[in-house]
Amino acid sequence: MAQFEVAHARTSSNEGGYANNIKDRGGETFHGIARKYWPKWTGWVLIDAQRSKFPKEIHSSKNWKHVDKILNEIPRLKELVRSFYKANFWDDIEGDRINSQEVANTLYDWAVNSGEGSPAKAIQRIIGATADGDIGPATALKINTYPDQLSLPGMLREKRVQLVRDIVKNDPSQIVFLKNWVERAKYA
């Protein structure tokens, strides 16, 4: 069975630390958790309690490492990030039921980056399951019994690259992220 800690270690290196890029549709983020999409995440309370220590120009990437240093001194934040990802992404893709660590890693990273729906539908189409966007026990079983296990991660990566290209095609303002999205999709 695939292990969450392995997948999370790999993905968390892609998520980085604190960021507040005005071009990012998610707005302020901490380790990839976007305040706009996850406003009730408990970690925001701890982050907001430190806000008086942040540099005034918070939208400048040169100041984000300083904010990271402040926030990394709060041990509880690391556990909140870990439990957030486990509950909201790993468990949603049925990561504990997937045999292949590489398939689980690929699904998990894509789910973290784009939400569960796109990677779930992609793998469901590949394995011949109903593409409802929800990986449940039946989909996990079909993933595990798919005859060509070694090709699944590559096929998923191809679908993911196509998705990010489509995002930019439909919203050209997102082109600033395309290179990183494609690189992440190829190696995640």
Side-chain angles (χ1 to χ4, degrees):
M1 289 293 162
Q3 298 173 25
F4 169 71
E5 296 303 334
V6 172
H8 184 64
R10 192 169 167 180
T11 291
S12 65
S13 68
N14 290 321
E15 290 301 323
Y18 181 87
N20 201 340
N21 186 330
I22 58 174
K23 292 185 179 182
D24 186 338
R25 292 186 279 188
E28 182 179 32
T29 63
F30 183 68
H31 289 274
I33 303 170
R35 187 184 289 260
K36 180 178 177 182
Y37 302 122
W38 302 97
K40 295 183 181 180
W41 175 58
T42 310
W44 293 122
V45 173
L46 299 175
I47 291 169
D48 290 342
Q50 301 299 312
R51 200 160 295 279
S52 65
K53 300 175 187 175
F54 292 3
K56 288 184 182 185
E57 183 44 58
I58 203 63
H59 295 294
S60 173
S61 61
K62 68 181 179 179
N63 292 326
W64 298 341
K65 287 187 188 226
H66 178 71
V67 175
D68 269 340
K69 186 175 179 180
I70 294 166
L71 298 177
N72 286 333
E73 292 177 12
I74 306 169
R76 176 90 175 109
L77 270 176
K78 184 176 183 176
E79 180 50 37
L80 288 173
V81 167
R82 184 199 166 286
S83 62
F84 168 85
Y85 281 109
K86 171 85 168 67
N88 290 291
F89 298 98
W90 182 258
D91 292 347
D92 280 354
I93 64 147
E94 295 285 339
D96 289 334
R97 293 180 189 261
I98 297 171
N99 291 338
S100 166
Q101 185 70 53
E102 193 63 25
V103 170
N105 290 351
T106 305
L107 284 170
Y108 175 69
D109 190 78
W110 189 358
V112 165
N113 196 223
S114 303
E116 178 199 4
S118 295
K121 286 179 182 176
I123 197 152
Q124 287 168 330
R125 287 182 182 116
I126 291 167
I127 63 173
T130 302
D132 62 6
D134 183 31
I135 297 176
T139 298
L141 179 62
K142 282 193 116 171
I143 291 169
N144 291 336
T145 58
Y146 187 75
D148 190 1
Q149 289 288 307
L150 295 177
S151 68
L152 280 177
M155 288 189 281
L156 285 168
R157 289 180 185 115
E158 287 175 20
K159 300 280 187 194
R160 185 174 175 183
V161 168
Q162 185 58 53
L163 175 79
V164 297
R165 291 187 191 287
D166 288 346
I167 288 170
V168 171
K169 181 180 176 184
N170 294 327
D171 184 354
S173 73
Q174 298 300 292
I175 198 159
V176 298
F177 303 110
L178 182 62
K179 181 180 177 190
N180 287 341
W181 285 343
V182 168
E183 287 302 308
R184 181 172 176 170
K186 287 181 180 177
Y187 302 108

